[in-house]
Amino acid sequence: MPADQSIHVLTDVVANKIAAGEVVERPASVLKELIENALDAAATQIEINLVCGGRTLVAVADNGHGMSRDDALLSVERHATSKIRDLPDLERIGTLGFRGEALAAISSVARFRLCTRRAADLMGVELIMAGGKIQEVRDAGCPSGTSVEVRHLFFNVPARRKFLRSEQTELAHLRQVFMTYALAHPAVGFKLTIDSRLVESLAPGATFEERRRDLFSFLAPADLRAVNYTSGGLRVTGQVALPALSRADRTEQYFFINGRPTSAPLVSAAVREGYHTLLPRDRYPIVFLFLELDPALVDVNVHPTKREVRFYSPGAVRETVITAIRQALALDGAFVPQTVRPLPGKMPPADDALRGAALSAGFPSLALPGVFPYPAPRGTSPSRPAPSAGAPQPGAPVAPPGKSEGPAATASSQLAASAPWAWCRILGQIGNLYVVLETEDGLALMDPHAAHERVLYERFMAQLRQGRIESQGLLVPETVDLPPQDALVVRRHLELLKRLGFGLAEFGGDTFVVDALPICFQNAAARTLLADMAAILATVGERRSAANLLEEQVAQAACRAAVKAHATLRSEEIEELVRQLAGTEMPYTCPHGRPTLIHTSFQELAKKFGRV
Ligand code: ADP
Ligand code: MG
């Protein structure tokens, strides 16, 4: 503490440096503020130049409206802004900046150069500062717009400099900022130069989809679902990726609220909830979500970095986002009812009994030999099923009516157009496991085990929701001995299990009699099913709410009851499964979040074969 202990007001230089601690954390924060300023200045072209992970240089040049000489001098003062005037403005912020502290903060912890000219002015102005002090102001001939160079960040704050990470890490943060803003503003052209190399050049006037494709070329259109939902004054648009493309972290989650990139935890939680059973707990979906609402209903002035926002009605926002996601992914209620028609000439007549069993539930133990002698794909046009000549044959397309013409249509059954594929042809099963499908835009591999899990899960959940679980009596009731621990939980949850369709009675000791099973699982062995339920009940315990508990159990049980991973399937079984999967609400993953389908588009194939 200084010897003189009286209170005194800090000089601007010191105050700015303190404030800089909040606004400027690393080179990426500088880039963020400068891009925001350029966007607020209505720039249509923004050029970014980075050297040495931003330590040596972060520069942003724009063709926006520029500043007068006086404004340029004011812009580096603290609390100097052209964006708001008084309190009511703070309630409805339409610009990215408004706090008027970024330039003051940045210029206080770096070597700073600003050049700016308004289109109507003949001369521009150049302002040079270091550590918050103006060193030079002079007329300058410069293009209209503004360019800001920030060199040697934290040169006067050694403590901060120490916290900077490796060049690669800082660069990753810088790139993330670049991606975020470039994505949020497809109408604006962006150029990114790193260490004198032009690494990104994005044309102005793009649509979101074009910009997204430029920046995320690894995401094929087939991997994404469009989001478009409005409720109670909140509009949610954008794209979400299928669960199979999930990641271990949140870095590919982009949220924009009224055009402002933000990391609203409320929104990411709602997204999670939207994906719900589609993803394991530790996986995060790739999403690009734009939320638009009345600026008066969201508070962006929560944190100096403006990265966080607060909603005035968080509950409604949450609900809307969840619905938007579920609608995009699950296409709630968008599936047309399916009529399953056997493909003529395909069915071995003697198999009817077996087939019936396969149709009604799982096909756990049908291990029939063989790979199907399906013909090789016809024609060269991958995008449309070629009508087959003559009688439909094995491998004929499964298509929604109207989509294919000619004889193939005879063989087609109804499949929802909004299903994972509008049309598909089953090519066979490989490795005694995976089912290979040709779809309208590529190739899909289906894990029948996971697919069957999904089908059973949804069927069971639907029954549960409607409060009518169908139960099927066993021809021969089974007695099941359980280990004491398991017996204990089963006894405790006897009523619950009965409600779920288990015909279950105590038989003395740790033995139970099972005389009925939920119809979805009737092909499973009573013993394993009950043991599974016990194990789940024991681990899930009382930790969760009843609804969650139930769902979890059901998912687990469905998993076990589902077709065994290595059962070879007959063609009819596969077909049925494909049809059933297409009819589910969330066809892309099993209830545990594992993918049911892996899709490779013709485009990706063409890329791999060097055809494009
Ligand atoms: P804020 O953006 O919160 O207003 P800043 O410190 O980032 O605060 O900028 C201060 C002011 O300087 C802005 O309000 C704006 O008037 C002006 N300014 C900053 N950058 C630019 C730019 N690139 N083009 C035109 N004006 C700018
Ligand atoms: Mg600003």
Side-chain angles (χ1 to χ4, degrees):
M1 199 172 286
D4 172 12
Q5 291 194 7
S6 66
I7 296 179
H8 55 270
V9 175
L10 297 172
T11 64
D12 278 350
V13 173
V14 178
N16 285 343
K17 214 165 142 182
I18 292 173
E22 288 179 318
V23 181
V24 189
E25 196 191 340
R26 56 184 355 148
S29 347
V30 173
L31 181 61
K32 167 186 177 300
E33 296 295 338
L34 297 184
I35 294 180
E36 286 192 354
N37 282 348
L39 291 168
D40 281 345
T44 55
Q45 182 69 36
I46 299 180
E47 301 188 0
I48 294 152
N49 206 335
L50 307 171
V51 176
C52 265
R55 280 162 180 260
T56 308
L57 175 71
V58 176
V60 174
D62 67 57
N63 64 351
H65 54 52
M67 283 179 267
S68 67
R69 188 188 179 99
D70 288 350
D71 278 354
L73 283 166
L74 258 181
S75 72
V76 294
E77 296 282 334
R78 196 143 171 245
H79 306 309
T81 180
S82 56
K83 299 170 194 173
I84 58 172
R85 273 195 193 277
D86 40 35
L87 274 180
D89 294 343
L90 199 52
E91 305 285 299
R92 319 183 45 94
I93 288 165
T95 49
L96 293 165
F98 57 88
R99 298 173 60 105
E101 58 187 4
L103 292 189
I106 292 167
S107 61
S108 73
V109 292
R111 298 186 195 283
F112 181 92
R113 177 171 174 269
L114 179 144
C115 283
T116 186
R117 181 171 73 85
R118 296 182 298 186
D121 295 342
L122 287 176
M123 257 310 162
V125 60
E126 179 182 16
L127 177 69
I128 294 176
M129 299 176 69
K133 295 194 187 101
I134 294 183
Q135 298 186 316
E136 226 175 313
V137 186
R138 60 175 169 231
D139 288 345
C142 51
S144 77
T146 304
S147 106
V148 176
E149 292 172 9
V150 177
R151 292 178 194 276
H152 304 122
L153 184 66
F154 299 139
F155 80 96
N156 56 346
V157 200
R160 277 273 160 165
R161 213 165 50 231
K162 264 189 242 141
F163 280 102
L164 289 181
R165 308 287 292 276
S166 71
E167 196 177 315
Q168 267 80 2
T169 307
E170 295 303 337
L171 206 53
H173 286 279
L174 286 159
R175 271 180 172 273
Q176 187 74 18
V177 168
F178 175 83
M179 295 284 264
T180 306
Y181 283 86
L183 201 58
H185 299 272
V188 178
F190 281 87
K191 279 191 181 153
L192 176 65
T193 303
I194 297 178
D195 296 329
S196 311
R197 217 164 51 86
L198 179 69
V199 295
E200 206 84 68
S201 180
L202 305 167
T207 61
F208 166 74
E209 174 54 18
E210 288 163 345
R211 185 55 61 86
R212 202 274 306 147
R213 240 185 292 142
D214 280 345
L215 291 169
F216 297 84
S217 50
F218 70 92
L219 288 173
D223 299 331
L224 295 160
R225 291 292 172 269
V227 180
N228 194 348
Y229 181 70
T230 308
S231 167
L234 172 62
R235 196 167 110 97
V236 186
T237 55
Q239 293 182 330
V240 294
L242 297 182
L245 289 138
S246 67
R247 302 171 44 92
D249 57 39
R250 284 199 182 85
T251 53
E252 304 298 2
Q253 298 200 330
Y254 296 85
F255 301 122
F256 307 98
I257 296 172
N258 291 342
R260 174 191 302 281
T262 140
S263 57
L266 175 112
V267 181
S268 48
V271 166
R272 247 239 79 89
E273 187 63 29
Y275 275 77
H276 193 41
T277 57
L278 292 171
L279 284 173
R281 284 183 211 301
D282 52 350
R283 304 289 299 176
Y284 300 92
I286 301 176
V287 300
F288 311 101
L289 275 196
F290 295 80
L291 275 65
E292 280 154 75
L293 71 170
D294 183 342
L297 297 178
V298 52
D299 183 2
V300 292
N301 190 21
V302 180
H303 191 263
T305 63
K306 299 162 282 172
R307 188 75 188 143
E308 260 175 52
V309 299
R310 218 170 270 156
F311 296 101
Y312 288 106
S313 44
V317 171
R318 198 186 115 85
E319 283 310 308
T320 305
V321 172
I322 293 176
T323 311
I325 299 273
R326 293 189 80 86
Q327 210 181 56
L329 285 176
L331 311 150
D332 278 334
F335 291 97
V336 296
Q338 294 171 47
T339 53
V340 178
R341 258 192 292 146
L343 304 188
K346 273 196 79 174
M347 216 89 64
D351 273 1
D352 273 347
L354 279 174
R355 223 184 131 260
L359 284 181
S360 64
F363 2 89
S365 52
L366 289 174
L368 293 158
V371 176
F372 321 106
Y374 285 158
R378 299 139 301 169
T380 45
S381 160
S383 56
R384 212 143 267 283
S388 58
Q393 31 188 306
V398 177
K403 182 101 199 208
S404 59
E405 315 82 26
T410 342
S412 74
S413 306
Q414 287 188 356
L415 252 193
S418 42
W421 42 76
W423 166 91
C424 83
R425 191 157 56 106
I426 300 162
L427 301 177
Q429 196 180 11
I430 54 170
N432 249 2
L433 175 60
Y434 303 108
V435 173
V436 187
L437 307 167
E438 181 192 347
T439 65
E440 71 266 47
D441 61 345
L443 168 89
L445 292 172
M446 179 179 85
D447 177 342
H449 184 256
H452 194 200
E453 259 181 63
R454 168 55 63 188
V455 169
L456 290 182
Y457 174 79
E458 289 199 6
R459 199 180 294 164
F460 192 64
M461 289 308 287
Q463 291 184 3
L464 195 64
R465 271 197 299 272
Q466 292 158 8
R468 46 161 199 92
I469 301 235
E470 291 172 52
S471 176
Q472 167 92 36
L474 298 180
L475 283 178
V476 186
E478 234 182 288
T479 51
V480 180
D481 287 318
L482 290 177
Q485 290 298 336
D486 288 355
L488 200 68
V489 272
V490 167
R491 227 175 278 130
R492 196 183 307 144
H493 293 283
L494 218 50
E495 282 315 304
L496 170 72
L497 290 170
K498 282 183 186 161
R499 250 197 342 263
L500 292 175
F502 288 83
L504 199 60
E506 291 188 70
F507 196 67
D510 292 336
T511 307
F512 296 83
V513 181
V514 182
D515 61 8
L517 290 177
I519 207 159
C520 299
F521 309 144
Q522 64 175 9
N523 285 352
R527 171 179 308 279
T528 35
L529 202 51
L530 192 59
D532 284 355
M533 296 298 268
I536 294 152
L537 286 168
T539 50
V540 176
E542 274 83 52
R543 278 185 290 124
R544 304 231 186 98
S545 68
N548 270 343
L549 176 82
L550 233 51
E551 236 182 20
E552 195 99 19
Q553 293 158 357
V554 169
Q556 298 282 351
C559 163
R560 287 301 181 112
V563 65
K564 297 285 172 279
H566 281 281
T568 305
L569 300 171
R570 290 176 311 133
S571 53
E572 301 83 37
E573 293 170 345
I574 293 185
E575 210 180 286
E576 188 53 30
L577 186 54
V578 167
R579 231 184 280 284
Q580 288 176 339
L581 181 68
T584 58
E585 281 183 33
M586 302 199 169
Y588 299 101
T589 55
C590 82
H592 303 87
R594 280 198 303 114
T596 53
L597 293 165
I598 293 174
H599 187 262
T600 309
S601 66
F602 285 121
Q603 209 185 340
E604 284 168 72
L605 287 176
K607 232 186 221 172
K608 285 191 176 138
F609 282 112
R611 284 174 159 273
V612 286

